[in-house]
Amino acid sequence: MASDLPMGPQLEQIHGEIRDNFRALANGFQRLDKIKDSNRQSKQLEELTGKMRECKRLIKEFDRELKDEEGRNPPEVNKQLNDEKQSMIKELNSYVALRKTYMNTLGNKRVELFDMGAGVSEPTADDNFQVASSMTNQELINAGTKTMDETDQAIQRTQKVVEQTIEVGTQTAVTLKGQTDQMGRIVNELDTINFSIKKASQLVKEIGRQVATDKCIMLFLFLIVCGVIAIIIVKIVNPKNKDIRDIPGLAPPAPSRRLLWAAEHFI
């Protein structure tokens, strides 16, 4: 019996989970025969397909754990465990074939069980079953090991891509933060310049008003000076003109001029 095989605790736990899934698959297909509604049958098949995928994942873990314990087990124990793994693969393939029968009955499209992507050239569950049926146990083990190694490599590549994406995102965030801080400083400087321009504009307006006032005063003074000069010129040209009064401080009164003339001649 498989339960009598010598296994480590981890290997035994994985083996038990695989057997539990196989029992669930057996019961699920038995219930499927009693379901008449096609929609419920399709839903039941989807659930069973999920169980098959889970079985495949567990068998892969079983094989990985088996390799870890291979060096600690005798050769005959390793052979028994490999035979048990091969038996579980064949049992899983039998459920895959059974699922194909029900899918053909329902007339639905085939759904890939061992889907490694969306490529059209990748094998479907039916192709996997046909290939597995024509292979020896050792070839099947080698093929399964190769597939699992390829899956591990794909996962590692995906992890590297994710790490690189995270690193690029972090660098981009730092760069954007620096640019945001720089833009903030530029905005502050522009606000300062705008405030300075407003103050300068107000100062220019004030100076303009003062200059306009000074121009008015200078023009008024200029007119006064021109008037005084005009009066002086008229008095010089026509000193006997009585219509123009003497400007105080520019010429003495007429009697004073006569007294000065007489004093000069007397001397």
Side-chain angles (χ1 to χ4, degrees):
M1 296 293 293
S3 58
D4 298 333
L5 292 174
M7 303 180 187
Q10 184 67 21
L11 198 63
E12 186 175 0
Q13 180 181 356
I14 297 173
H15 183 267
E17 292 179 3
I18 294 172
R19 287 301 169 187
D20 290 341
N21 277 281
F22 281 156
R23 283 191 290 270
L25 286 171
N27 295 332
F29 279 110
Q30 289 178 1
R31 289 194 300 270
L32 192 62
D33 293 332
K34 300 177 182 179
I35 298 175
K36 303 301 182 182
D37 183 64
S38 59
N39 292 330
R40 291 180 58 192
Q41 284 182 342
S42 298
K43 185 176 180 181
Q44 181 71 9
L45 278 175
E46 290 178 1
E47 294 178 359
L48 294 175
T49 302
K51 291 287 184 183
M52 294 179 198
R53 291 194 178 99
E54 180 67 14
C55 285
K56 179 196 171 184
R57 184 187 67 81
L58 291 171
I59 291 174
K60 181 179 177 180
E61 291 186 7
F62 185 89
D63 181 70
R64 187 183 298 112
E65 190 68 23
L66 183 60
K67 289 181 179 179
D68 293 339
E69 296 184 1
E70 190 172 6
R72 300 189 297 269
N73 296 329
E76 59 274 8
V77 173
N78 290 330
K79 183 178 183 305
Q80 292 176 0
L81 293 176
N82 282 320
D83 291 341
E84 176 62 18
K85 183 187 71 172
Q86 184 64 33
S87 175
M88 291 187 294
I89 292 174
K90 289 182 179 180
E91 187 171 355
L92 177 59
N93 285 332
S94 66
Y95 286 118
V96 172
L98 188 59
R99 172 186 169 279
K100 174 188 175 183
T101 302
Y102 280 102
M103 291 295 291
N104 290 336
T105 302
L106 291 173
N108 294 332
K109 294 174 63 177
R110 297 189 304 172
V111 179
E112 291 183 357
L113 172 61
F114 301 101
D115 46 351
M116 300 296 294
V120 295
S121 62
E122 296 170 356
T124 62
D126 302 330
D127 298 331
N128 287 332
F129 173 72
Q130 293 175 0
V131 172
S133 300
S134 60
M135 295 171 63
T136 64
N137 292 344
Q138 187 61 39
E139 290 175 346
L140 189 58
I141 292 173
N142 294 336
T145 302
K146 181 180 178 181
T147 302
M148 288 186 287
D149 292 339
E150 292 174 353
T151 303
D152 292 337
Q153 293 175 1
I155 292 174
Q156 292 177 358
R157 289 194 297 269
T158 303
Q159 290 176 347
K160 290 182 180 179
V161 172
V162 171
E163 292 174 357
Q164 292 174 357
T165 303
I166 293 174
E167 183 178 357
V168 172
T170 303
Q171 294 176 353
T172 303
V174 172
T175 304
L176 289 176
K177 185 178 183 301
Q179 292 178 351
T180 302
D181 295 339
Q182 185 176 2
M183 288 298 296
R185 291 192 295 270
I186 292 174
V187 170
N188 293 334
E189 292 176 358
L190 289 176
D191 291 339
T192 303
I193 293 173
N194 187 29
F195 179 74
S196 300
I197 291 174
K198 288 183 178 179
K199 290 186 65 177
S201 177
Q202 293 176 357
L203 182 60
V204 169
K205 290 180 180 179
E206 185 67 23
I207 292 173
R209 286 195 293 268
Q210 292 178 1
V211 169
T213 303
D214 294 341
K215 285 182 177 180
C216 291
I217 295 173
M218 292 296 294
L219 179 62
F220 181 71
L221 292 175
F222 177 76
L223 292 175
I224 292 175
V225 170
C226 290
V228 171
I229 292 172
I231 292 173
I232 292 172
I233 293 172
V234 171
K235 291 293 290 182
I236 292 173
V237 173
N238 190 6
K240 296 181 179 181
N241 190 349
K242 302 300 182 179
D243 295 332
I244 302 174
R245 298 178 59 184
D246 292 331
I247 299 174
L250 295 179
S256 298
R257 289 197 298 270
R258 286 193 295 270
L259 290 175
L260 290 173
W261 181 82
E264 290 175 355
H265 281 80
F266 181 75
I267 296 172

